[in-house]
Amino acid sequence: TIHYRFLREKHFIPAGEVAGQQRELIRIFMDNSLKYLAHPGFPGNFVRRKVLEIKEKKSWPGDQVQKILEDLRGPGWEAGD
């Protein structure tokens, strides 16, 4: 199992507009991403792309590469899984 998180934030939203902004972000996601993520080839292509990104950035600090790998593995992963 691989976990992926994408964080999109909006800063300085007036308190009375938070719910509307949340609905808008969800609508944008549903309109633009759901079909893409649901495609049967998406998981394999996504993992291959992330592996290539890591290989291309060998000059990254080791802790940053480790953080990416931990995020992809998700909670509960142990060596050998």
Side-chain angles (χ1 to χ4, degrees):
T1 300
I2 294 177
H3 299 264
Y4 178 71
R5 287 182 292 206
F6 178 78
L7 178 63
R8 183 164 184 155
E9 296 178 315
K10 286 193 170 191
H11 300 282
F12 309 110
I13 300 170
E17 296 178 20
V18 171
Q21 289 293 317
Q22 287 174 330
R23 284 191 300 274
E24 181 65 10
L25 286 172
I26 291 169
R27 184 195 64 73
I28 291 169
F29 171 79
M30 298 297 274
D31 289 349
N32 298 322
S33 303
L34 198 56
K35 287 182 184 178
Y36 175 73
L37 295 172
H39 187 277
F42 171 78
N45 291 335
F46 178 79
V47 170
R48 279 189 287 283
R49 189 171 62 246
K50 288 298 174 186
V51 168
L52 287 174
E53 285 177 16
I54 291 170
K55 285 182 178 180
E56 290 173 0
K57 297 186 185 204
K58 289 180 183 175
S59 61
W60 281 4
D63 60 333
Q64 191 170 1
V65 172
Q66 189 61 35
K67 171 80 171 88
I68 291 169
L69 293 174
E70 288 171 5
D71 285 347
L72 288 172
R73 290 177 185 132
W77 183 89
E78 294 187 21
D81 284 353

